[in-house]
Amino acid sequence: MSEMLSDRYNPTEVEAKTYGWWKEKGYFKAQDQSTKIPFSIILPPPNVTGFLHMGHALDHTIQDVMIRWKRMSGFNAMWLPGTDHAGIATQAVVEKLLHKEEKKTRHDLGREAFVQKIWEWKNQYGERIYNQMERLGNSVDWDRKVFTLDDGVSKAVRKTFVKLYKKGWIYKGEKLVNWSPPLQSAISDLEVVHKETKGNLYHIAYTVDGAKYEDGSDIKIIIATTRPETMLGDTALCVHPDDLRYQKWIGKKVFLPLTKRKIPIIADSYVDKEFGSGALKVTPAHDFNDYELGKKHKLEFINILEKDGKLNANAGAYQGLSTQEARKKIVADLEEQGFLVKVEPHVHQIGYCDRTGTIAEPFLSEQWFVRTKDMAVPARHMVENGSIRFEPEMWTKTYLHWMSIIQDWCISRQLWWGHRIPAWNCANCGHVTVSEVDPTACEKCKSAKLTQEEDVLDTWFSSGLWPFSTMGWPEKTETLKTFYPTSVLVTGHDIIFFWIARMIMMGIELTGDVPFRKVYVHGLIRDSEGRKMSKSLGNSLDPVEMIDQYGADALRFTLMAQIASGKDLKFSVDRLEGYRNFMNKLWNAARFILQNTSDVTVEQMKQIHSASDLSTADRWIVHRSGEVMKDVEQHLKEDRFSDAANALYSFVWHEFCDWYLEFSKPVLYKGEGKTKLATQTVLLQTLNRIVRMLHPFTPFITEEIYQKLPVKNKACIIDVYPTATLDKEWLSLGSAEATYEMKVVMEVILALRNIRGENLIKPSQKMNVWAVPQDELTQKILLRNQTEIMRLAGIEQFKAEPKESLAKCAVAPVRLGETLIDVVVPLEGLVDIEEEIKRLQKMIEKTNKDVTLLSNKLSNANFVKNAPEDIVQKDTALLAELRSKIQGYEDGLKRLKS
């Protein structure tokens, strides 16, 4: 028998108790050995320092929908959670706390004590992101959670480093890297945020050695730079080999302003001879493009910076200054000595360290690198042959392009928190011993005088092993045998190269197989105006606050109803409120059903087993639920989550709640016997299937409703996901004929409601109606259902036959395929005809103005060319709709005047 729901849905009460109950019952757990088909997802590990943000909310909800759907579909579904130690971010957090609370630096404590301090912080705050994931409803297998500095992962990291080193794929060398002066560490490309910055373009004259004009004046070549201080590290001037202006100077030298050095003029087709003066300064140690030119032409590499970002001895008189201080002084000196030609305002992109907010400097330093060229070959091949598939497919080309231009990967960081590089330097012979276990002696000379490398590994190094290190590799665990390769990786497009490519390379090299079969790439969350969310714009939203206010289910459904693979999502609180209302609609519908089926038992429901037991409305909703099952199953198989969510929304809100519940009320209130039992059974069985179909999207409310139903298993989360194949016996009670009949009834009622609304007829005013069918079948349908039509449309008299005259009438045509029904309502006595004529004339005039504005807009070629495609499509559809409205107003006006 049915149990009752509370008067109103309170997400806070339901969510906390339900999640705890799921965990207690072990419903999130997967089995290492099972007869079920495995389906596995590895959660992209959020930073241990982090808070749940809207990007996480989207990413995690997609994964949870997948895992819940697969779990309910009979798979051995495993979703493995974990967090990343986030070397830079975590160290920075603890250093700030240390300075604030104890006025000390990490150097005051020393490495060992400082690392212990970070572990203490992690043990206190590291579970925060997990708690927030629970608020969202993540059904991860908590018993399997992993941290990137756990012993198992550390073992995998060391083994990987040693293997790649011995293979010659890890090496130490001096190269140009991204450098953060405040951190005094190399940083990854992902940690460099490029921002449009207002600055200046400085035009500087370089004097050609031994070259004079006829009047005896020096010949000079003008270059333009945004960073004049880097000229102190110039080692060449470069021009295009075909540039006639400079051909005769190639091989000559120029004087470097403010110094006593002379540098060569070289030629390279890299130079754009049409840009600026066609000549550029080459600073190999402080610019990535110049670095490549320097290697190609075997130029000298002069580093002018210290690790803290200040200028070193190579800067001469400017030693000890910051780059900004040096720039001011150098510009002043250039102007004083006549080398500064002009200064122009200039907006350009500058890279900033996203952890410190300071400018990231290209910096020449000795680092550890992974040689990636050979590793990239099989990683490309596995995507090209379809072993790994990107969804949407367009990201395949992006991935393959990046892999074709891949550079060696800098994996060392000058930090204390992280996986310390397992390399030991021998003080006796200088040999480097690389080992999985801490060595006691040099492997070459056997000296015990060993010092371990100070640097730690880039966080992305351990993350690159994530799909298999989390499952116990390098041991051949049962988890690894069961769930590797994983089924799908869900991620944003911004880390395809930084993380996905590296996981693919590492997975193939270390396990002999790909790390995942599919990569589902989603876009970014933007605000309702399409802007990227940020604190500076004041448009960022906290998902936990959204959950507190609207409930996790409403937030999840808002995200999933809009998600389209690869495309950015516009998030608005208005939509969130709308889907919160959907939760309330579902709750109230369930409450109504449970109140009116409280006396029904499962045994009684078994009496309903023939289509003849059901009314037309019953057979319609059963048939429609089967069609929705087919659609939703197909959408989920194809990762079209928004299509699945919207199909469910439309069915539940409009067909089930707005229509079927209304059709069921007379039977529930006045019906008896098997007729009433049939409708009660259909209500309960359909609600059961609705909550199961909705469960992956809105798990909390559906579990709560499910537990009150007389027809249920142990829990909605582990019940079977409804499909047309599995539900074949139940769905056989429905019929397409009943669906057509109810479609006719609903369209006629809607037409009458539209007539009432458009003509401002009060709901209390009863109308006389003619529904004019064009065939006998439709007439029978209308007569068979005239009681429901009259009840739901507020009709006093209903006739399913032609009306002699349409004068002074409102007419709404209803078309269903080849069938046309004219719905006619005489307006005399219901409205003031003269006032109605005036109203229609005003509506025609107003709508014509809208049509003119929109037509002019769409006839503007520039607008059509530059506007987003969806905006153009939306405006085109609106124009067609407005023109159709005008036609309807004009037809109505003619009838009123006749």
Side-chain angles (χ1 to χ4, degrees):
M1 299 182 66
S2 302
E3 298 180 47
M4 292 301 104
L5 290 170
S6 58
D7 291 350
R8 57 186 294 275
Y9 178 52
N10 186 331
T12 304
E13 288 180 8
V14 170
E15 290 168 6
K17 71 169 185 179
T18 302
Y19 197 90
W21 179 69
W22 284 331
K23 283 182 71 175
E24 179 188 335
K25 292 293 184 181
Y27 291 143
F28 302 157
K29 294 180 181 179
Q31 302 301 316
D32 282 350
Q33 293 178 312
S34 171
T35 57
K36 295 180 179 180
I37 299 171
F39 180 87
S40 56
I41 301 177
I42 304 295
L43 179 77
N47 289 350
V48 71
T49 57
F51 294 85
L52 197 71
H53 56 62
M54 289 301 288
H56 287 136
L58 173 64
D59 193 72
H60 292 197
T61 300
I62 294 169
Q63 293 171 75
D64 197 40
V65 168
M66 286 182 173
I67 212 79
R68 286 178 184 270
W69 171 52
K70 288 295 185 178
R71 186 185 292 122
M72 294 177 74
S73 298
F75 287 76
N76 183 19
M78 189 272 286
W79 188 14
L80 194 152
T83 50
D84 195 297
H85 63 279
I88 293 175
T90 309
Q91 181 164 313
V93 166
V94 177
E95 282 195 85
K96 286 179 182 177
L97 284 173
L98 184 64
H99 179 72
K100 181 180 179 182
E101 295 173 0
E102 302 180 30
K103 305 300 181 188
K104 292 181 180 179
T105 70
R106 61 186 166 110
H107 299 285
D108 294 328
L109 267 65
R111 183 168 192 145
E112 188 175 335
F114 179 70
V115 169
Q116 179 58 38
K117 199 87 172 173
I118 299 179
W119 275 110
E120 290 171 4
W121 182 93
K122 187 266 177 187
N123 292 335
Q124 183 174 357
Y125 298 105
E127 297 288 308
R128 179 176 52 198
I129 189 78
Y130 283 152
N131 296 333
Q132 294 178 333
M133 286 162 59
E134 291 191 3
R135 294 291 310 277
L136 189 63
N138 289 12
S139 59
V140 294
D141 192 337
W142 289 112
D143 291 345
R144 300 177 187 269
K145 67 182 180 182
V146 182
F147 179 53
T148 47
L149 292 181
D150 284 348
D151 290 343
V153 179
S154 296
K155 183 178 179 182
V157 166
R158 277 205 172 189
K159 187 172 188 67
T160 300
F161 189 96
V162 172
K163 180 179 179 179
L164 297 183
Y165 179 81
K166 290 184 175 179
K167 199 169 182 177
W169 286 2
I170 285 182
Y171 64 93
K172 191 174 187 180
E174 188 177 60
K175 287 190 175 185
L176 200 63
V177 297
N178 289 304
W179 186 265
S180 174
L183 296 171
Q184 295 194 31
S185 173
I187 57 177
S188 76
D189 291 345
L190 192 62
E191 288 152 345
V192 177
V193 179
H194 291 275
K195 300 178 184 178
E196 204 170 71
T197 307
K198 291 181 179 179
N200 292 313
L201 196 59
Y202 301 89
H203 296 259
I204 304 169
Y206 286 56
T207 304
V208 180
D209 183 24
K212 302 280 187 180
Y213 287 110
E214 290 182 0
D215 63 0
S217 60
D218 292 332
I219 292 177
K220 297 177 181 179
I221 296 177
I222 310 301
I223 63 91
T225 180
T226 57
R227 305 180 66 200
E229 67 279 6
T230 63
M231 63 179 287
L232 301 174
D234 286 357
T235 56
L237 217 60
C238 192
V239 298
H240 195 283
D242 299 331
D243 194 333
L244 298 177
R245 293 172 295 177
Y246 304 117
Q247 275 185 342
K248 61 182 176 182
W249 305 122
I250 296 171
K252 303 287 186 180
K253 292 188 176 182
V254 292
F255 288 100
L256 183 64
L258 308 183
T259 74
K260 296 178 181 180
R261 285 197 295 121
K262 287 192 285 188
I263 58 176
I265 300 172
I266 63 173
D268 197 287
S269 56
Y270 165 77
V271 178
D272 181 358
K273 59 184 179 181
E274 304 301 325
F275 180 76
S277 67
L280 59 84
K281 59 193 283 301
V282 184
T283 316
H286 294 286
D287 181 275
F288 287 102
N289 293 321
D290 292 3
Y291 178 77
E292 295 301 323
L293 281 173
K295 287 196 300 180
K296 182 178 178 181
H297 294 275
K298 296 182 173 54
L299 300 175
E300 184 182 3
F301 286 69
I302 299 176
N303 180 12
I304 63 167
L305 291 179
E306 298 285 1
K307 291 180 179 180
D308 62 2
K310 292 183 179 179
L311 274 62
N312 63 22
N314 290 330
Y318 307 99
Q319 182 179 1
L321 299 178
S322 70
T323 53
Q324 293 301 314
E325 291 169 340
R327 181 177 302 176
K328 289 179 183 177
K329 184 165 176 46
I330 287 169
V331 169
D333 290 348
L334 286 169
E335 185 171 23
E336 181 183 339
Q337 295 180 34
F339 294 113
L340 187 65
V341 178
K342 61 178 177 178
V343 180
E344 295 177 316
H346 183 67
V347 176
H348 59 127
Q349 294 284 331
I350 293 181
Y352 290 83
C353 171
D354 72 338
R355 300 300 178 189
T356 63
T358 58
I359 292 175
E361 296 284 354
F363 186 71
L364 194 65
S365 66
E366 192 174 48
Q367 302 287 342
W368 289 86
F369 295 88
V370 174
R371 187 173 281 112
T372 53
K373 186 177 180 181
D374 291 335
M375 292 179 74
V377 174
R380 279 180 56 87
H381 178 65
M382 286 299 190
V383 171
E384 288 171 333
N385 70 13
S387 296
I388 299 174
R389 182 171 62 85
F390 280 84
E391 171 59 40
E393 199 274 335
M394 67 177 185
W395 290 109
T396 303
K397 291 182 180 179
T398 303
Y399 167 83
L400 293 175
H401 170 69
W402 278 339
M403 296 305 283
S404 68
I405 60 172
I406 193 168
Q407 300 292 312
D408 288 359
W409 168 21
C410 175
I411 57 171
S412 48
R413 299 291 181 265
Q414 289 63 55
L415 305 171
W416 288 356
W417 173 245
H419 295 281
R420 195 166 176 180
I421 290 177
W424 286 260
N425 300 298
C426 178
N428 186 50
C429 71
H431 178 74
V432 177
T433 299
V434 171
S435 174
E436 291 182 44
V437 296
D438 293 5
T440 56
C442 172
E443 63 184 356
K444 186 176 181 181
C445 72
K446 308 307 178 184
S447 168
K449 296 179 179 179
L450 297 179
T451 304
Q452 188 176 0
E453 281 279 343
E454 291 290 324
D455 293 352
V456 299
L457 287 164
D458 174 18
T459 299
W460 294 102
F461 189 88
S462 51
S463 297
L465 314 179
W466 200 237
F468 46 94
S469 66
T470 51
M471 297 190 199
W473 183 90
E475 304 300 326
K476 294 181 179 179
T477 64
E478 289 301 322
T479 301
L480 202 63
K481 292 177 186 176
T482 304
F483 295 110
Y484 187 87
T486 60
S487 306
V488 62
L489 176 78
V490 177
T491 185
H493 57 69
D494 51 339
I495 56 173
I496 288 178
F497 177 70
F498 298 101
W499 188 41
I500 297 172
R502 289 165 182 174
M503 283 191 288
I504 295 173
M505 289 191 294
M506 293 291 205
I508 295 170
E509 171 63 24
L510 299 169
T511 72
D513 205 346
V514 296
F516 28 74
R517 298 299 184 193
K518 180 172 68 176
V519 181
Y520 177 87
V521 182
H522 60 76
L524 305 176
I525 291 195
R526 299 184 178 275
D527 68 11
S528 57
E529 297 177 22
R531 300 174 302 173
K532 189 174 181 179
M533 289 188 178
S534 70
K535 291 181 180 179
S536 60
L537 289 175
N539 64 345
S540 59
L541 297 172
D542 182 347
V544 176
E545 290 182 4
M546 298 294 101
I547 291 170
D548 288 339
Q549 191 170 355
Y550 299 97
D553 289 327
L555 176 62
R556 290 167 61 109
F557 204 85
T558 304
L559 296 170
M560 298 311 292
Q562 297 181 80
I563 186 67
S565 60
K567 294 184 178 180
D568 289 350
L569 179 154
K570 292 181 181 179
F571 185 90
S572 75
V573 174
D574 288 344
R575 278 183 178 269
L576 180 57
E577 290 177 348
Y579 290 120
R580 188 265 314 273
N581 295 340
F582 177 52
M583 300 305 118
N584 291 335
K585 183 93 169 180
L586 176 63
W587 183 267
N588 291 332
R591 188 165 171 271
F592 168 81
I593 292 166
L594 293 171
Q595 285 175 335
N596 286 281
T597 58
S598 58
D599 57 339
V600 179
T601 65
V602 174
E603 288 302 313
Q604 288 175 316
M605 292 170 68
K606 291 178 181 177
Q607 298 174 28
I608 307 302
H609 50 73
S610 170
S612 60
D613 296 332
L614 273 58
S615 69
T616 304
D618 294 338
R619 294 196 303 277
W620 158 67
I621 204 67
V622 172
H623 182 259
R624 279 295 299 131
S625 67
E627 291 183 320
V628 172
M629 284 180 201
K630 290 178 185 176
D631 291 342
V632 170
E633 182 183 18
Q634 190 62 33
H635 295 327
L636 289 175
K637 283 180 177 178
E638 296 174 358
D639 299 322
R640 300 205 310 269
F641 302 109
S642 62
D643 289 343
N646 288 313
L648 287 167
Y649 176 89
S650 179
F651 174 70
V652 173
W653 188 298
H654 300 299
E655 295 180 83
F656 186 70
C657 294
D658 285 353
W659 287 109
Y660 182 63
L661 293 190
E662 289 302 319
F663 290 138
S664 72
K665 285 178 180 178
V667 182
L668 294 174
Y669 297 158
K670 298 179 182 178
E672 11 177 82
K674 207 166 187 179
T675 301
K676 182 176 181 179
L677 179 61
T679 295
Q680 290 174 316
T681 300
V682 171
L683 281 165
L684 288 168
Q685 291 283 19
T686 306
L687 180 59
N688 173 283
R689 285 157 176 80
I690 283 172
V691 295
R692 281 189 284 141
M693 282 192 285
L694 276 171
H695 180 80
F697 299 91
T698 56
F700 293 109
I701 191 172
T702 51
E703 187 70 78
E704 182 72 5
I705 293 171
Y706 180 91
Q707 291 301 324
K708 307 296 184 184
L709 296 173
V711 186
K712 63 175 181 284
N713 203 320
K714 292 180 182 178
C716 189
I717 188 175
I718 56 168
D719 203 343
V720 177
Y721 198 80
T723 68
T725 302
L726 294 173
D727 255 345
K728 194 172 182 180
E729 184 178 350
W730 169 253
L731 296 177
S732 67
L733 302 183
S735 75
E737 293 77 15
T739 296
Y740 176 78
E741 181 164 332
M742 295 312 298
K743 184 71 173 173
V744 170
V745 172
M746 290 185 290
E747 289 296 329
V748 168
I749 293 170
L750 284 174
L752 290 167
R753 289 175 177 173
N754 287 338
I755 287 173
R756 188 182 288 278
E758 289 174 1
N759 293 277
L760 305 179
I761 301 170
K762 295 177 181 178
S764 59
Q765 288 182 281
K766 296 294 182 181
M767 302 186 298
N768 294 330
V769 173
W770 275 259
V772 185
Q774 290 189 338
D775 58 77
E776 187 177 348
L777 174 61
T778 306
Q779 185 178 39
K780 287 180 180 179
I781 289 173
L782 291 171
L783 291 173
R784 206 160 45 226
N785 293 277
Q786 64 178 336
T787 301
E788 285 303 292
I789 293 171
M790 292 176 70
R791 179 174 73 88
L792 294 175
I795 295 172
E796 190 168 58
Q797 185 181 42
F798 179 82
K799 295 181 180 180
E801 59 188 44
K803 189 176 186 306
E804 293 180 3
S805 171
L806 299 182
K808 306 294 187 290
C809 291
V811 179
V814 172
R815 184 176 292 280
L816 292 150
E818 298 299 317
T819 301
L820 179 66
I821 306 167
D822 282 332
V823 178
V824 182
V825 176
L827 295 177
E828 287 186 297
L830 293 175
V831 300
D832 184 323
I833 299 296
E834 293 302 317
E835 286 300 315
E836 185 63 14
I837 288 173
K838 291 178 183 178
R839 187 185 72 82
L840 285 176
Q841 288 172 333
K842 287 182 180 178
M843 292 302 296
I844 291 170
E845 183 180 352
K846 178 183 178 300
T847 310
N848 268 322
K849 288 180 180 178
D850 293 340
V851 165
T852 301
L853 287 171
L854 206 50
S855 296
N856 291 338
K857 185 178 179 183
L858 289 169
S859 63
N860 185 328
N862 287 331
F863 168 75
V864 174
K865 179 182 177 181
N866 298 319
E869 186 180 346
D870 60 330
I871 298 295
V872 176
Q873 290 176 347
K874 184 178 177 181
D875 285 350
T876 302
L878 178 58
L879 181 60
E881 182 185 340
L882 291 174
R883 284 172 172 160
S884 177
K885 280 186 177 182
I886 290 172
Q887 184 62 52
Y889 294 147
E890 289 176 343
D891 290 344
L893 195 59
K894 288 177 184 176
R895 288 191 294 271
L896 290 177
K897 288 181 175 180
S898 60

